[in-house]
Amino acid sequence: MPEASPGSPSSDRARLAILLSGRGSNFLAIDRAIRRGSLPAEIVLVLSDRREAPGLVEAERLGLPTACVPPEAGNGGRRRQEERVEAEIRASGADWICLAGYMRLLSADFVAAFRLRIVNIHPSLLPAFPGLGAQRQALEHGVRVSGCTVHLVDEGLDSGPIVAQRAVPVEDHDDADRLSARILEQEHLAYPEALRRLLTEAWSLRGRRVVFASRPER
Ligand code: GRF
């Protein structure tokens, strides 16, 4: 993994490591975008902390390189697990890490080791409703609009610089499942699109802002 610099587009296809713990629908959306030719990247690793994660099973079925690194018990277990994750990522030659429903917090050391090269998707319009149960938090708060956020990962919880957001309405009779499904549809568009921009456009960080060099079309 090269030393991170805010983005300059590369002519080579980016090498993605996907980290997931569950269903894997965002991973599959990224995979579909690559296969369609709309995301110039290659998935070099799908890693999960749970052997039974449907996303990991699906990656195996697709013939992608996979790894399972389960949690370790006891003193120092979290650090050892993370070191194994880091070793798998380094061995894969990945230059970007895409969190796609990976349910483990990353340590500050891990984030520093892959600075500005870890991307996450979160099911709310950050900075509103970070952490678990974002859709339920949004419903309980009574917001009329929610959505999803693709962001670069920093040491905080869902607090890194925002790359893209997509909004959806919250309807009067929504429950968490209905709202989650409406947001998920947008996640599947937002994540590949945000990655495409990060990988193919020049961009920089101005304070917390991710600024792309290209102007939006008028
Ligand atoms: C998504 O809602 C994502 O925003 C959150 O975890 C969920 C993962 O879903 N970080 P999936 O495993 O990609 O289907």
Side-chain angles (χ1 to χ4, degrees):
M1 183 165 301
E3 171 60 17
S5 57
S8 27
S10 145
S11 52
D12 299 337
R13 294 203 313 164
R15 297 163 65 85
L16 311 182
I18 311 263
L19 271 54
L20 56 79
S21 301
R23 183 175 53 188
S25 71
N26 277 288
F27 144 57
L28 290 171
I30 293 168
D31 183 64
R32 277 195 302 276
I34 292 172
R35 288 172 200 266
R36 261 201 319 266
S38 53
L39 179 60
E42 161 184 18
I43 295 174
V44 295
L45 176 66
V46 178
L47 181 148
S48 177
D49 55 333
R50 289 180 53 232
R51 163 118 3 250
E52 67 283 10
L56 186 65
V57 174
E58 205 46 34
E60 280 161 5
R61 200 185 60 76
L62 287 164
L64 294 167
T66 60
C68 180
V69 183
E72 295 200 19
N75 248 350
R78 178 181 167 199
R79 189 178 42 75
R80 283 195 304 278
Q81 191 266 357
E82 215 175 59
E83 282 170 0
R84 291 182 54 209
V85 171
E86 179 169 346
E88 292 283 354
I89 292 170
R90 301 243 182 241
S92 75
D95 32 40
W96 286 87
I97 300 171
C98 304
L99 306 182
Y102 186 62
M103 298 305 285
R104 304 186 67 77
L105 288 176
L106 301 172
S107 71
D109 284 348
F110 185 94
V111 171
F114 299 109
R115 202 179 84 80
L116 299 182
R117 285 293 181 270
I118 311 176
V119 191
N120 183 40
I121 184 150
H122 183 76
S124 75
L125 294 176
L126 290 170
F129 315 127
L132 288 177
Q135 303 93 330
R136 179 165 299 286
Q137 292 185 56
L139 275 181
E140 284 171 0
H141 195 91
V143 293
R144 292 293 183 175
V145 176
S146 191
C148 62
T149 303
V150 181
H151 66 93
L152 298 169
V153 172
D154 67 8
E155 311 70 38
L157 177 64
D158 300 323
S159 59
I162 291 171
V163 182
Q165 295 186 300
R166 278 178 170 252
V168 304
V170 181
E171 307 289 358
D172 281 348
H173 301 291
D174 272 348
D175 58 19
D177 286 347
R178 278 169 55 100
L179 179 58
S180 299
R182 195 176 306 122
I183 293 173
L184 193 63
E185 267 180 43
Q186 298 305 312
E187 293 186 37
H188 295 164
L189 301 173
Y191 210 169
E193 171 62 12
L195 287 173
R196 189 190 61 71
R197 295 199 76 185
L198 286 172
L199 302 180
T200 62
E201 296 183 27
W203 57 275
S204 59
L205 263 189
R206 287 194 207 143
R208 289 188 43 85
R209 296 183 67 202
V210 175
V211 179
F212 289 95
S214 65
R215 287 166 179 275
E217 283 172 27
R218 288 176 190 273

